Amino acid sequence: LPRINFQQQLVALKDKLLAMAALSQQALEFSVEAYLAGDMALCDHVVEIEAAINSAETSVDDLRFILSVIKINSDLERIGDQATNIARRAQSLKDAPRISLPVDIKDMGEKVGVMIRTAIQALLEADAKLAESVLAMDDEIDDMNRAVQTELIEVMQQHSLFSEQALNAILISRNLERAADHATNIAEDVIFWVRGSDVRHKLSLDGVD
Amino acid sequence: LPRINFQQQLVALKDKLLAMAALSQQALEFSVEAYLAGDMALCDHVVEIEAAINSAETSVDDLRFILSVIKINSDLERIGDQATNIARRAQSLKDAPRISLPVDIKDMGEKVGVMIRTAIQALLEADAKLAESVLAMDDEIDDMNRAVQTELIEVMQQHSLFSEQALNAILISRNLERAADHATNIAEDVIFWVRGSDVRHKLSLDGVD
């Protein structure tokens, strides 16, 4: 089953609710009419309408989508928090001499930026494969962060004059690693949303559901 | 504060999420750039972006709206169930002689239809006053249902030949009363969604929030 995208999912959700509202009202009014007139064909029609209502009802898929949106929202907000932490650390270094450290924060920052962009694109396009690529990138960021910690603890030990700069780089590397975790959470939510129903359909084909 | 309607709320929710995604990504990339360049103005800008993210974040209002949609969905489905119950009772009377009973199921059915339509209109227009009118109509349906029960139990006692027809009318009246309860639930959800934020804003003005 092809998965509809983010925009389509929201529109579908609204259309479903309005269709259900029209059907429920119709079913009720027809049922009374059928009773009053003793109209058996109209009774059958009410039962048909009810089946249509049940199949239009907000499904587990819809709820999974809504839940994902709420969680993604919160992860985006936390990425903003990490960015602010980095900016505050940069501010605290205002008067410290600028030195060159043996770590590539620029590369790490760019990679985390790509992770966020890719996770959002995967959400918009309901692309679980694209979301999976974000998970692979997170492993890389974790490795980079570990390398930064090792390198800079050594710098701090050997060049205590630069310990303020080294400590800030360590903490910024950690902020980036956390921002990457939030991008990963978003990607996981996209996979949960997109793949969840596949799993369910598979179970249903196996006769378990 | 004027309340935006159902359609606008869904669109706003989607736009908010995409705006947050763009801002979060930008904040993170700028923060690293600001650190690397020691750019204090860019640091300030990151802090500004984070404030924008926080104010765009899915609010309590948005969550209240989403919750309402899920609950309304379930009430519509249950109205469909009640309609089916009525149709099934009409079917069970297929071979029973049709008699005239001293109750107005037609009027009751029409009133419940109006309640459902009004509740949905209140949802679409985010109109709490209109939703309140549904609550008043529910009291009327409760009274009508009680009157039906009293009248028809008497019929059953005095004309046992018509007890099948009277019993079905009693049960259909109860089905209508339950459908009316679901329309009332929908109206209450609309009021919760629309008024909830008013209460919050009022608290905020009083300095409590």
Side-chain angles (χ1 to χ4, degrees):
Chain A
L1 283 179
R3 165 69 50 178
I4 62 173
N5 71 23
F6 179 74
Q7 164 84 27
Q8 289 166 325
Q9 176 94 38
L10 273 182
V11 172
L13 207 59
K14 188 206 72 180
D15 290 349
K16 246 185 209 179
L17 192 76
L18 296 188
M20 275 189 66
L23 289 173
S24 306
Q25 179 207 321
Q26 217 177 27
L28 191 94
E29 292 181 340
F30 282 167
S31 71
V32 174
E33 205 179 314
Y35 164 69
L36 293 171
D39 183 337
M40 294 303 122
L42 198 53
C43 288
D44 291 340
H45 188 48
V46 169
V47 175
E48 281 168 19
I49 296 176
E50 203 238 350
I53 293 172
N54 287 346
S55 67
E57 198 198 358
T58 295
S59 63
V60 174
D61 282 4
D62 297 324
L63 299 184
R64 180 183 292 116
F65 170 70
I66 289 171
L67 195 64
S68 300
V69 168
I70 293 172
K71 286 167 71 193
I72 287 169
N73 189 74
S74 145
D75 280 307
L76 288 171
E77 197 263 330
R78 285 170 193 186
I79 288 172
D81 289 343
Q82 296 304 327
T84 301
N85 289 342
I86 294 171
R88 298 266 187 235
R89 294 196 200 293
Q91 284 172 329
S92 77
L93 287 170
K94 197 180 164 209
D95 300 319
R98 307 200 44 207
I99 56 159
S100 175
L101 291 166
V103 291
D104 199 344
I105 295 288
K106 186 173 192 292
D107 185 33
M108 212 175 154
E110 279 167 2
K111 282 197 165 67
V112 175
V114 171
M115 286 176 71
I116 300 168
R117 252 172 290 152
T118 307
I120 296 301
Q121 202 191 333
L123 169 73
L124 290 177
E125 295 172 7
D127 187 337
K129 241 193 157 89
L130 195 60
E132 273 180 356
S133 73
V134 175
L135 272 48
M137 291 168 84
D138 190 46
D139 291 337
E140 207 181 332
I141 295 295
D142 286 342
D143 290 344
M144 289 175 96
N145 180 45
R146 266 189 293 269
V148 166
Q149 311 295 316
T150 310
E151 286 284 355
L152 293 186
I153 285 167
E154 216 177 292
V155 169
M156 285 176 78
Q157 285 165 345
Q158 292 176 5
H159 311 272
S160 61
L161 205 62
F162 302 146
S163 62
E164 189 187 352
Q165 292 90 327
L167 178 62
N168 270 285
I170 285 178
L171 296 175
I172 286 171
S173 171
R174 233 180 243 182
N175 291 143
L176 286 173
E177 188 266 327
R178 282 194 194 160
D181 284 345
H182 292 299
T184 303
N185 289 348
I186 294 173
E188 283 172 347
D189 279 328
V190 172
I191 294 169
F192 169 70
W193 164 45
V194 174
R195 290 271 166 83
S197 86
D198 296 349
V199 172
R200 209 162 53 84
H201 286 297
K202 202 186 165 299
L203 283 177
S204 160
L205 288 174
D206 294 346
V208 176
D209 189 8
Chain B
L1 283 180
R3 163 69 51 180
I4 62 173
N5 71 24
F6 179 74
Q7 163 83 28
Q8 289 167 326
Q9 177 93 38
L10 273 182
V11 172
L13 207 58
K14 188 205 71 179
D15 290 348
K16 246 184 210 179
L17 193 76
L18 296 187
M20 275 189 65
L23 288 173
S24 306
Q25 179 208 321
Q26 217 178 28
L28 191 95
E29 292 181 340
F30 282 167
S31 72
V32 174
E33 205 179 315
Y35 165 69
L36 293 170
D39 182 336
M40 295 302 124
L42 198 52
C43 289
D44 291 339
H45 188 48
V46 169
V47 175
E48 281 167 18
I49 296 177
E50 202 238 351
I53 293 173
N54 287 346
S55 67
E57 199 199 355
T58 294
S59 61
V60 174
D61 283 3
D62 297 324
L63 299 184
R64 182 184 289 118
F65 170 70
I66 289 170
L67 195 64
S68 299
V69 169
I70 293 171
K71 286 168 72 192
I72 286 169
N73 188 75
S74 145
D75 279 308
L76 289 171
E77 197 262 330
R78 285 170 194 187
I79 288 171
D81 288 342
Q82 295 304 326
T84 301
N85 289 343
I86 294 170
R88 297 268 187 233
R89 294 196 201 291
Q91 283 172 330
S92 77
L93 286 170
K94 197 180 164 213
D95 300 319
R98 306 199 46 205
I99 56 160
S100 175
L101 291 166
V103 291
D104 199 344
I105 295 289
K106 185 173 194 289
D107 185 35
M108 213 174 152
E110 279 168 2
K111 281 196 164 67
V112 176
V114 170
M115 284 175 71
I116 301 169
R117 251 173 290 154
T118 307
I120 297 301
Q121 201 190 335
L123 169 73
L124 290 176
E125 295 172 7
D127 187 336
K129 241 192 158 90
L130 195 59
E132 274 180 355
S133 72
V134 175
L135 273 48
M137 291 167 83
D138 190 46
D139 292 337
E140 208 182 332
I141 295 293
D142 286 343
D143 290 343
M144 289 174 96
N145 180 47
R146 266 189 293 270
V148 166
Q149 311 295 316
T150 311
E151 287 283 357
L152 293 186
I153 285 167
E154 216 177 290
V155 168
M156 286 175 77
Q157 285 164 345
Q158 293 176 5
H159 311 273
S160 60
L161 205 63
F162 302 147
S163 62
E164 189 188 352
Q165 292 91 328
L167 178 61
N168 270 285
I170 284 177
L171 295 175
I172 286 173
S173 171
R174 233 180 243 180
N175 291 143
L176 286 173
E177 188 266 328
R178 282 193 193 160
D181 283 346
H182 291 299
T184 303
N185 288 348
I186 295 173
E188 282 172 349
D189 279 327
V190 172
I191 294 169
F192 170 71
W193 164 44
V194 174
R195 291 271 165 81
S197 85
D198 296 348
V199 173
R200 210 163 52 85
H201 285 298
K202 202 185 164 299
L203 282 177
S204 161
L205 287 174
D206 294 346
V208 175
D209 189 9

